[in-house]
Amino acid sequence: MPGSPYTDLDRPPLNARALERALVGPGELWTSLDVRTETESTNADVAQAAREGAPEGLVEVAERQTAGRGRLGRAWQSPPRAGIAVSVLLRPGAAEPERGWRPLPAKAYAWLPLLAGVAVAEAVIRLAELPDGVLPALKWPNDLLVGDAKCAGILAEGVPDGGGGPAVVLGIGLNVTLRADELPERPSGPKATSLRLAGAEVTDRDPLLRATLRGLATWYERWREADGDASASGLRGAYLSRCATVGREVRVLLPGGAEFTGEATGVDDSGRLVVRTAQGERTVAAGDVLHLR
């Protein structure tokens, strides 16, 4: 049947009702979950909902994006049902008296893409059954690598107060069953891959999405309960244990053509990368970096 989601049996559609039953309910962070057959950009949709005052916990998933975006406006494209494209709405600057959460300052928000990276990495490790010796790793600030190739990207976007307080939209794109001829071209940085190409035994998107959203909720709740303290919540330790950037020589390209090199030695309490250079220690925030190589 033309246009049927079952024309490619390796890529069945997500089960929207089952996902909602599993993830949305009393006491859960996620308050609504919308699975769309197609949209331009889940991040753009959720950002618009944020401007209109939507509450924290909104989740949008798309089987296909026609204008998906990554960091610095880079395109993120995937065939229908070949990956996971999900965006969530968070309001870390708003108090939640029932949960005992105080509003967090904007400077703490830099940890959100790193938090999302931990959630994705843990979901893949737990469920994908990759070959022995192939472990997901995080490339600061927003990539998930599998076998030194990019398998997922994360985009965090701030949205000004639209009536519900300042918001952050977190978008995650995970390549699941893309074939070699379907991978996006990457003129710079690590080449692209998918879980299937990396040898994963499990490529069912439903459990991968459930695990990612559950992990994201768990880490977000811990982080909020610790008043945004990444160390006290355990987030900083979890991130560093998965980070492939720390301990390596890196080349940092800055806006305007400036650059410097050195050894990445850690991530500070504000989520900035710490680099030891010949001239001394430097820290860089994700928003200050064009490329990290």
Side-chain angles (χ1 to χ4, degrees), residues 143-221:
D143 290 346
L144 176 75
L145 305 180
V146 177
D148 291 326
K150 180 173 178 175
C151 196
I154 296 158
L155 177 64
E157 296 184 288
V159 181
D161 191 344
V168 176
V169 177
L170 267 182
I172 298 169
L174 174 64
N175 292 335
V176 181
T177 62
L178 277 81
R179 304 168 184 115
D181 62 350
E182 296 172 325
L183 293 172
E185 294 184 6
R186 290 181 53 79
S188 62
K191 66 180 182 179
T193 191
S194 68
L195 293 180
R196 172 163 292 172
L197 289 172
E201 294 289 337
V202 177
T203 55
D204 186 338
R205 293 180 304 141
D206 278 88
L208 282 167
L209 179 57
R210 284 199 300 270
T212 297
L213 288 171
R214 283 174 175 155
L216 185 55
T218 296
W219 278 111
Y220 181 73
E221 289 162 356

Side-chain angles (χ1 to χ4, degrees), residues 4 7-8 11 39 42 44 54 81 89 130 145 209 213 221 225 229 232 245 264 270-271:
S4 168
T7 53
D8 188 339
R11 294 170 175 170
T39 192
T42 57
R81 304 178 304 282
L89 173 57
L130 289 160
L145 305 180
L209 179 57
L213 288 171
E221 289 162 356
E225 288 164 3
D229 187 323
T245 305
S270 298

Side-chain angles (χ1 to χ4, degrees), residues 76-162:
W76 182 278
Q77 297 177 336
S78 177
R81 304 178 304 282
I84 291 172
V86 59
S87 296
V88 304
L89 173 57
L90 302 173
R91 295 191 181 276
E96 288 283 350
E98 292 185 0
R99 293 177 178 262
W101 293 352
R102 293 185 290 188
L104 300 184
K107 65 180 182 180
Y109 300 0
W111 272 101
L112 288 172
L114 281 64
L115 183 156
V118 171
V120 178
E122 290 180 343
V124 170
I125 290 167
R126 188 179 310 123
L127 295 175
E129 296 185 18
L130 289 160
D132 291 344
V134 179
L135 288 176
L138 296 167
K139 176 177 178 284
W140 184 92
N142 67 326
D143 290 346
L144 176 75
L145 305 180
V146 177
D148 291 326
K150 180 173 178 175
C151 196
I154 296 158
L155 177 64
E157 296 184 288
V159 181
D161 191 344

Side-chain angles (χ1 to χ4, degrees), residues 33 45 146 150 178 182 204 217 249 259 276 286 289:
L33 189 148
D45 293 344
V146 177
K150 180 173 178 175
L178 277 81
E182 296 172 325
D204 186 338
E249 289 292 318
E259 63 177 77
R276 183 169 58 233
V289 178

Side-chain angles (χ1 to χ4, degrees), residues 71-72 74 188-189 251-254 289-293:
R71 186 168 168 268
L72 301 177
R74 301 183 184 111
S188 62
R251 179 183 173 205
V252 182
L253 280 72
L254 304 172
V289 178
L290 287 179
H291 294 287
L292 183 75
R293 297 171 180 167

Side-chain angles (χ1 to χ4, degrees), residues 36-63:
R36 301 190 177 190
T37 302
E38 182 176 293
T39 192
E40 289 189 358
S41 163
T42 57
N43 256 42
D45 293 344
V46 175
Q48 182 58 36
R51 285 188 286 269
E52 294 170 357
E56 180 172 71
L58 181 152
V59 180
E60 182 180 304
V61 187
E63 298 282 33

